[in-house]
Amino acid sequence: MLDGLGLAETTPGPLIMVLQFVGFLGAWSHPGNLPPLLSATLGALVTTWTTFVPCFLWVFLGAPYIEKLRDVKLLTAALSTVTAAVVGVILNLAVWFGLHVIFPANGGVDWFALVLCVAAFVAMLRYKIGHHPGHPRERVARLIYKLAITH
């Protein structure tokens, strides 16, 4: 799961990238009678297709009625509830991933990740540097750190 999030954060559309990654790995692990690479590619394609098609159908079918539905108080309340639930899920995932990055499975503390997180947090709050401009710098710093340790 951590690898999927890392892959997703390198490009726009994180949810689609994670779903595609999970579809690929799932089909790779259980290829049936197909070669693993073919099975994995088909798994990624089916996952992507089944993720996009319902969304596009909702948009195209509901778009003509969206202005009329904006005045329906019950629907507006329900959508506000869904928005709150989505924010809660995102917060839960952020905490889960943060804990697994800073405290890896080996039981120790990844001090470099902790220092990098604190530096990014300070940069966002103190210097008003946005979230996305920091991504490339953080990835390069992590890559240099990993290369320095392994060699």
Side-chain angles (χ1 to χ4, degrees), residues 80-129:
S80 296
T81 304
V82 169
T83 301
V86 168
V87 169
V89 167
I90 292 170
L91 177 62
N92 184 28
L93 284 172
V95 169
W96 187 89
F97 282 117
L99 287 173
H100 284 81
V101 167
I102 294 172
F103 304 106
N106 65 10
V109 174
D110 187 344
W111 290 104
F112 184 77
L114 182 60
V115 169
L116 196 60
C117 288
V118 170
F121 187 71
V122 169
M124 286 191 310
L125 288 183
R126 173 93 167 97
Y127 301 108
K128 307 296 185 217
I129 295 175

Side-chain angles (χ1 to χ4, degrees), residues 7-143:
L7 174 67
E9 288 300 320
T10 61
T11 61
L15 177 63
I16 301 305
M17 293 298 292
V18 171
L19 290 173
Q20 197 174 39
F21 181 72
V22 169
F24 184 91
L25 286 182
W28 179 274
S29 300
H30 304 286
N33 295 330
L34 297 174
L37 184 59
L38 177 62
S39 176
T41 304
L42 291 173
L45 287 171
V46 167
T47 305
T48 304
W49 175 261
T50 57
T51 302
F52 273 115
V53 169
C55 297
F56 281 118
L57 284 176
W58 279 111
V59 168
F60 291 136
L61 295 176
Y65 306 103
I66 199 70
E67 290 301 322
K68 295 175 189 169
L69 295 175
R70 190 173 287 199
D71 296 329
V72 178
K73 299 288 185 212
L74 188 60
L75 183 61
T76 304
L79 290 176
S80 296
T81 304
V82 169
T83 301
V86 168
V87 169
V89 167
I90 292 170
L91 177 62
N92 184 28
L93 284 172
V95 169
W96 187 89
F97 282 117
L99 287 173
H100 284 81
V101 167
I102 294 172
F103 304 106
N106 65 10
V109 174
D110 187 344
W111 290 104
F112 184 77
L114 182 60
V115 169
L116 196 60
C117 288
V118 170
F121 187 71
V122 169
M124 286 191 310
L125 288 183
R126 173 93 167 97
Y127 301 108
K128 307 296 185 217
I129 295 175
H131 172 69
H132 289 292
H135 270 317
R137 289 188 295 273
E138 293 160 9
R139 284 193 298 265
V140 169
R142 182 55 127 174
L143 178 65

